[in-house]
Amino acid sequence: MGSWGRLLLAPVVLLAGCTAAGAPATPATPAASAPTGCAGRVEEGRLPDWADAGFSGDTRMPHVFGAKGEIVAVLFGQPLTVGRTAGPSNKILWVARPAATPSPDPSAPATLVITATLDGTTTRVTREVAGGPGPSIVDVPRAGCWHLELRWSGRTDTMDLVYVRS
């Protein structure tokens, strides 16, 4: 092939490498129940100073921070499991960051109310931890990513937790 042929062939080869064969002309629209993603990132390092009261020694434990950093879920039953018949339970210690100011609503109940929605579905469950953030067992009906809305003492935060099948 002459130099003119190579010169004309190079752009064609480059363009062919930049397009996907068989790719749809328009992006597919996700179904209403399609997963929207899970931000439930389990940290393995030390608990923050404000969350390590009552622990001694090394405080490296699996935990998940709320999106606003107002609460942390310390996971004793990692991985969280649906239908577990043996081994540790889905024990979660909820620790709230000390409030910078008094509760905006002093009459707000201290109970931690957890409204969990399974990602990509309308499946929703509510769990309560009497007395506010503290030790709990939080079971859900199905495996997957659960988006949690957390409310306690006039405060709120959100987080995602992943539950796997046993």
Side-chain angles (χ1 to χ4, degrees):
M1 181 181 295
S3 60
W4 282 106
R6 281 188 219 122
L7 184 61
L8 292 174
L9 185 57
V12 172
V13 171
L14 287 173
L15 284 174
C18 294
T19 58
T26 58
T29 304
S33 64
T36 57
C38 192
R41 189 174 136 215
V42 177
E43 304 275 337
E44 296 288 338
R46 294 183 188 278
L47 294 173
D49 290 341
W50 55 266
D52 68 1
F55 291 93
S56 61
D58 189 3
T59 62
R60 293 177 205 274
M61 303 195 68
H63 57 280
V64 177
F65 284 98
K68 295 195 273 183
E70 293 297 310
I71 196 165
V72 65
V74 182
L75 309 176
F76 287 89
Q78 181 63 8
L80 299 172
T81 305
V82 173
R84 185 186 311 243
T85 57
S89 61
N90 291 322
K91 181 177 179 183
I92 300 173
L93 174 62
W94 301 96
V95 183
R97 179 188 292 271
T101 59
S103 174
D105 181 4
S107 66
T111 299
L112 171 63
V113 178
I114 304 165
T115 304
T117 305
L118 180 60
D119 184 45
T121 74
T122 58
T123 302
R124 178 174 285 171
V125 296
T126 301
R127 305 291 186 251
E128 293 186 355
V129 180
S136 68
I137 304 295
V138 180
D139 292 322
V140 295
R142 292 177 40 197
C145 176
W146 288 83
H147 302 293
L148 278 59
E149 295 174 15
L150 308 161
R151 296 184 316 274
W152 72 101
S153 301
R155 299 170 65 189
T156 63
D157 208 338
T158 61
M159 73 172 54
D160 292 345
L161 293 178
V162 174
Y163 283 75
V164 299
R165 286 184 183 87
S166 60

